[in-house]
């Protein structure tokens, strides 16, 4: 398949996704639209992590910290500069990409558990800067920064739900992100990622500049996380340290593994599960009248159970399971060839 045909296929798929998501969100309630927006901004961050960890083989336990950078950049620009939302999100992505560049330079020299430890320290320490003396007034301390939600355009009507508008913004952002990453992974750079992941020495001997690849993928992943964090601040109307704990970074890793490591579509599956399972678990606990301590821990327990079950049934994640089911169904269709 030529590069031109691949680009056209990705563009058509992106256009179809925009139409489908517009129709879907128009039929949902405001609460469900809010959940769709949450899935979208998590999918942005998870997609970048998929490229970084699944394709490039760089272990990152600090992706939530980059989301915090994007969220605070968005909040500061909206509150002090009053720029259009699209410009603010682009600026937040640029700021986070610079942070990713700094981490990427270090990542080029670290491997395996050393890189994981460094990113873990980043996830733990960076959100705490909001409570650091000189930065407390600027970043709002423990309470964080409030973000005034961007209202829907008047052309959509005075009664147009804000949640649907936020869902549209987030869905457009994730579709554009997926389109860019899909084309990146099919590019010359993208084709070098599995080589650097599987055998760095062999990749270097074949002429691949491993350090540069590591830096570029770190920047790309950080930029995606920054976009996700910026959208999170817009949807939640808040950027606060408590929104970016270490568990957020671990949940992003779990979502990527659950959906299918190295699969962009898998990042979407993982984000859907990450948003829906806690809601279902809370509803289940409330309807069953469980004690508060059980109710608060039930979502994590159910998510962990889902992760274990999916890993056992589909070692390549949900997207791998979907492909396997599709191949089995194709074999059984009239004219399909059985390999058994």
């Amino acid at each position: 398949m030529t590069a031109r045909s691949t680009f056209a296929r990705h563009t058509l798929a992106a256009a179809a996704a925009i139409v489908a998501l517009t129709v879907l969100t128009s039929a949902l309630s405001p609460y469900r639209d809010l959940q769709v927006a949450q899935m979208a901004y998590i999918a942005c961050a998870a997609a970048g992590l998929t490229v970084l960890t699944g394709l490039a083989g760089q272990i990152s336990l600090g992706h939530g910290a980059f989301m915090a950078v994007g969220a605070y950049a968005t909040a500061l620009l909206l509150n002090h500069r009053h720029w259009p939302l699209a410009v603010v999100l682009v600026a937040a992505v640029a700021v986070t990409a610079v942070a990713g560049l700094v981490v990427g330079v270090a990542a080029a020299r670290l491997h395996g558990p050393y890189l994981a430890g460094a990113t873990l320290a980043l996830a733990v320490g960076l959100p705490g800067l909001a409570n650091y003396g000189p930065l407390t007034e600027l970043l709002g301390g423990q309470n964080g920064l409030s973000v005034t939600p961007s209202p829907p355009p008047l052309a959509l009507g005075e009664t147009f739900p804000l949640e649907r508008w936020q869902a549209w913004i987030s869905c457009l952002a994730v579709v554009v992100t997926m389109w860019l990453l899909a084309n990146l992974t099919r590019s010359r750079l993208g084709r070098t990622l599995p080589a650097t992941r599987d055998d760095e020495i062999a990749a270097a001997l074949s002429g691949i500049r491993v350090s540069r690849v590591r830096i570029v993928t770190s920047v790309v992943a950080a930029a995606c996380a920054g976009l996700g964090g910026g959208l999170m601040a817009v949807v939640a109307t808040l950027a606060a340290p408590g929104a970016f704990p270490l568990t957020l970074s671990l949940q992003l890793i779990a979502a990527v593994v659950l959906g299918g490591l190295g699969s962009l579509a898998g990042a979407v599956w993982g984000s859907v599960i990450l948003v829906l399972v806690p809601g279902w678990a809370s509803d289940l606990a409330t309807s069953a009248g469980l004690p508060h301590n059980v109710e608060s821990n039930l979502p994590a327990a159910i998510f962990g159970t889902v992760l274990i079950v999916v890993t056992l049934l589909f070692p390549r994640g949900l997207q791998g399971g979907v492909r396997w089911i599709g191949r089995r169904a194709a074999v059984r269709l009239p004219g399909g060839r059985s390999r058994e």
Side-chain angles (χ1 to χ4, degrees):
M1 183 177 295
T2 63
R4 182 174 297 178
S5 61
T6 300
F7 179 85
R9 181 168 59 89
H10 290 162
T11 303
L12 289 175
I18 291 175
V19 173
L21 289 169
T22 302
V23 173
L24 174 64
T25 52
S26 299
L28 295 177
S29 65
Y31 174 71
R32 297 301 179 188
D33 281 336
L34 182 61
Q35 285 188 314
V36 171
Q38 292 171 342
M39 295 174 195
Y41 66 65
I42 291 175
C44 287
L49 189 58
T50 291
V51 173
L52 181 69
T53 301
L55 297 179
Q58 300 181 62
I59 302 174
S60 174
L61 301 179
H63 226 51
F66 292 119
M67 291 187 70
V69 173
Y72 273 98
T74 299
L76 290 170
L77 291 173
L78 285 176
N79 292 343
H80 297 287
R81 295 296 182 180
H82 308 291
W83 291 348
L85 181 58
V87 177
V88 167
L89 291 176
V90 171
V93 168
V95 170
T96 316
V98 173
L101 176 62
V102 175
V103 175
V105 172
R109 300 176 178 273
L110 298 175
H111 306 274
Y114 302 103
L115 177 59
T119 54
L120 178 64
L122 182 69
V124 173
L126 189 62
L129 289 178
N131 299 316
Y132 178 65
L135 299 177
T136 300
E137 183 176 354
L138 176 65
L139 302 180
Q142 191 64 33
N143 295 327
L145 299 174
S146 297
V147 179
T148 303
S150 300
L154 293 178
L156 296 175
E158 295 182 357
T159 60
F160 192 86
L162 175 62
E163 294 83 1
R164 185 175 302 164
W165 174 240
Q166 292 174 337
W168 282 10
I169 294 173
S170 301
C171 288
L172 178 61
V174 74
V175 169
V176 172
T177 299
M178 291 293 180
W179 179 80
L180 291 172
L181 292 180
N183 286 294
L184 174 66
T185 56
R186 296 292 182 178
S187 67
R188 180 178 179 181
L189 172 65
R191 289 191 294 270
T192 65
L193 297 181
T196 58
R197 176 196 62 197
D198 296 338
D199 194 328
E200 294 182 9
I201 297 177
L205 291 176
S206 64
I208 298 174
R209 300 179 62 179
V210 177
S211 296
R212 185 175 66 176
V213 171
R214 283 179 170 270
I215 293 173
V216 171
T217 50
S218 295
V219 171
V220 169
C224 293
L227 177 59
L231 292 170
M232 183 177 181
V234 171
V235 173
T237 66
L238 180 68
F244 307 99
L246 174 61
T247 53
L248 174 61
S249 298
L250 300 180
Q251 286 174 343
L252 290 173
I253 287 285
V256 169
V257 173
L258 181 63
L261 200 60
S263 168
L264 293 177
V268 177
W269 284 113
S271 303
V272 170
I273 298 298
L274 194 60
V275 171
L276 292 182
V277 166
W280 291 342
S282 297
D283 293 342
L284 176 63
T286 302
S287 61
L290 298 176
H292 176 70
N293 60 336
V294 176
E295 179 181 349
S296 60
N297 292 311
L298 188 60
I302 293 180
F303 185 82
T305 302
V306 170
L307 180 61
I308 293 172
V309 171
V310 170
T311 303
L312 291 176
L313 294 179
F314 306 111
R316 295 185 178 181
L318 288 173
Q319 181 61 20
V322 169
R323 291 174 178 172
W324 180 82
I325 293 172
R327 287 194 297 266
R328 299 291 292 183
V331 168
R332 285 168 172 73
L333 289 175
R337 294 190 304 172
S338 176
R339 297 183 181 180
E340 299 178 353

